[in-house]
Amino acid sequence: RPQPVAESGAVGPVQVTRLDGGDPDRTGTTSPRRAGLPPDLWAGSDAGTLSQMVLATPARLDAMQDLLKRVLTAQLAPPTEAGNRGQLFLARADRLLDMGALDQAQALLGAAGPGEPEIFRRLFDVALLEGDEGRACAIMNGTPGIAPSFAARIFCLAQSGDWAAAAISLHGAEALGLVDERRAILLTHFLDDGLVDGGQILEPADRMTPLEFRIHEAVGQPLPTTPLPVAFAQSDLRLNGGFKARLEAAERLAVAGALPASDLRRIYAEQRPAASGGVWERASVMRTLEAALVNGDLQQALPRAFEEFRKAGMADLLAEMVAADLPDSDDPQVAEITSLLRAWVGLPGTPRSEPAADLAAPPQPAPDIRRGEALLTAMADVDAALEGDLARAGRGIAMLRALGLDADADKAETQITLLPQMTAQP
């Protein structure tokens, strides 16, 4: 019987199957010490509650994006009330996918091994979005019973060159009602080159799956990724697409915390901007700023770049890209922007800004149990600062301190204090 497949790149409710072998909830790619987290963070909680909280915890502030990724990838002891074994592991992987962090999700899933259908289904989706389906299909073709769907089996048969077997499988699946009509039409176009040039426009599904996304591309009807969940933007990073789509995808992923700012900086520099406005304008000011960093004359380049990125709500990305490279300056405006960007990323020696009064929350008692739940709640509270709720954010910061996460609390407090300067319109 075919296993269910994700209906879109967005993460829905976690589906759980019994996972044999080692407990995947123990799996991680980062040690607790490196992550700065206690190994027993999940003690006292049940897997179901934690799974729901992991999937719902926002992470928009830079400080919280970093903390959430450490929580999701750390090798921690399973919850005391384990419930369905593997449920929390799958929720962690799904939250990484929801962020568009495909590399981290792939590493986490791979650490648990691809032998279980629920794990392999996610690895297969990642491979499709990254254009590496050949490797995923090789595993699937050699592992009976692991195919995430009948459509995936047909796709991999064709991908491996066995077009006849793929066509026979499709006809059989249609006859048995294992493939719905719309998907059968899509697969038929994929398998029959004669239909590709027929001019028929294939309507995309309301909820796009990575497999259907790749088939649309294969039949010459690629779909834009902008309206799709952020994980789909990873496919636009491949070098076989246009530079504008690559730039837009890189920005979108960097905003979500799924692409390092250093990678975004490198992509900006790959080609000369072909036009002006929007992403082209940011690429242009970055090229000018890069040249100014070399010759030491930032008087015009840095203010212009700062205002352009601030207009787009991405001044934080500019800080992450260049703050460490900015020299001291005698120019008052350049010095002010330099200090702001350095403070945002927390460079050593940067004076801390005086926190807003509303962030001053009374000390919180450290919870004796359910520290993981307290941490995830605190992260959501901190993120409320982006809606202007500084009192709630202050409570979240106080709880981070109570949990021993002083560095994260300091970074969050600084970034919240600097938000008006980083987001004000020129």
Side-chain angles (χ1 to χ4, degrees):
R1 182 177 179 180
Q3 297 292 324
V5 67
E7 294 296 326
S8 75
V11 176
V14 176
Q15 297 178 347
V16 180
T17 54
R18 182 71 177 175
L19 299 172
D20 297 325
D23 188 347
D25 286 333
R26 293 184 179 275
T27 301
T29 57
T30 307
S31 68
R33 181 176 180 179
R34 186 175 180 84
L37 299 168
D40 60 348
L41 178 66
W42 304 134
S45 296
D46 68 89
T49 297
L50 289 172
S51 297
Q52 293 176 5
M53 294 184 72
V54 161
L55 291 172
T57 298
R60 293 169 295 169
L61 193 70
D62 289 355
M64 294 301 97
Q65 287 181 349
D66 176 68
L67 178 55
L68 180 59
K69 282 188 287 187
R70 284 156 42 211
V71 169
L72 297 176
T73 58
Q75 189 175 15
L76 305 174
T80 304
E81 303 295 331
N84 290 310
R85 187 161 57 94
Q87 182 180 17
L88 179 58
F89 170 79
L90 294 177
R92 289 159 55 205
D94 283 343
R95 188 65 183 89
L96 287 167
L97 293 172
D98 185 42
M99 296 172 70
L102 299 191
D103 288 344
Q104 292 94 325
Q106 185 178 49
L108 181 64
L109 292 162
E116 296 296 333
E118 283 298 313
I119 293 177
F120 179 77
R121 176 171 70 81
R122 290 160 171 81
L123 282 170
F124 188 68
D125 283 349
V126 170
L128 289 168
L129 293 172
E130 293 187 334
D132 192 21
E133 60 272 12
R135 176 177 53 83
C137 285
I139 296 174
M140 189 175 78
N141 290 337
T143 311
I146 206 173
S149 69
F150 214 93
R153 170 63 70 185
I154 294 169
F155 174 84
C156 281
L157 285 171
Q159 201 278 335
S160 62
D162 197 346
W163 295 90
I168 292 172
S169 297
L170 176 57
H171 290 314
E174 287 186 275
L176 294 173
L178 299 176
V179 178
D180 62 56
E181 181 181 359
R182 186 191 54 76
R183 189 167 294 176
I185 293 173
L186 186 62
L187 286 167
T188 299
H189 278 72
F190 174 63
L191 297 176
D192 189 346
D193 288 341
L195 295 176
V196 172
D197 299 325
Q200 180 183 0
I201 301 299
L202 301 174
E203 291 295 325
D206 292 334
R207 297 186 64 188
M208 183 58 55
T209 67
L211 177 60
E212 293 190 18
F213 179 81
R214 289 289 287 117
I215 293 177
H216 273 276
E217 182 179 74
V219 301
Q221 297 184 23
L223 301 172
T225 63
T226 303
L228 299 175
V230 67
F232 285 85
Q234 288 280 357
S235 65
D236 282 336
L237 291 184
R238 293 174 295 163
L239 294 174
N240 59 345
F243 184 47
K244 185 171 187 287
R246 182 167 160 81
L247 283 174
E248 291 174 337
E251 286 189 342
R252 189 179 177 199
L253 289 164
V255 167
L259 185 75
S262 57
D263 288 356
L264 175 61
R265 182 177 182 178
R266 175 180 50 79
I267 292 172
Y268 277 135
E270 286 178 350
Q271 298 180 30
R272 290 185 177 278
S276 60
V279 68
W280 293 124
E281 201 66 33
R282 290 184 289 279
S284 177
V285 297
M286 272 303 297
R287 290 181 70 88
T288 302
L289 180 58
E290 297 284 11
L293 286 169
V294 173
N295 63 37
D297 184 8
L298 296 170
Q299 187 172 0
Q300 293 183 348
L302 182 59
R304 183 182 171 212
F306 179 65
E307 291 304 329
E308 195 62 44
F309 275 85
R310 188 164 65 163
K311 277 195 308 184
M314 297 193 300
D316 56 335
L317 294 181
L318 180 67
E320 292 170 17
M321 287 190 288
V322 304
D325 295 334
L326 294 174
D328 294 333
S329 176
D330 294 329
D331 181 88
Q333 185 180 19
V334 171
E336 181 181 359
I337 296 173
T338 297
S339 177
L340 175 60
L341 299 184
R342 287 175 176 175
W344 181 268
V345 298
L347 288 178
T350 304
R352 287 191 61 197
S353 301
E354 188 66 26
D358 288 342
L359 290 178
Q364 297 286 325
D368 295 327
I369 59 172
R370 299 195 296 274
R371 285 181 294 172
E373 293 178 43
L375 173 56
L376 294 171
T377 299
M379 292 171 65
D381 288 342
V382 169
D383 234 41
L386 295 172
E387 276 76 53
D389 192 343
L390 297 185
R392 181 182 171 190
R395 293 194 296 272
I397 290 172
M399 179 55 73
L400 291 180
R401 297 194 192 284
L403 293 168
L405 298 173
D406 289 326
D408 296 287
D410 288 346
K411 186 176 181 181
E413 185 178 78
T414 296
Q415 291 183 350
I416 292 171
T417 301
L418 298 176
L419 273 175
Q421 296 165 266
M422 296 287 282
T423 59
Q425 296 298 312

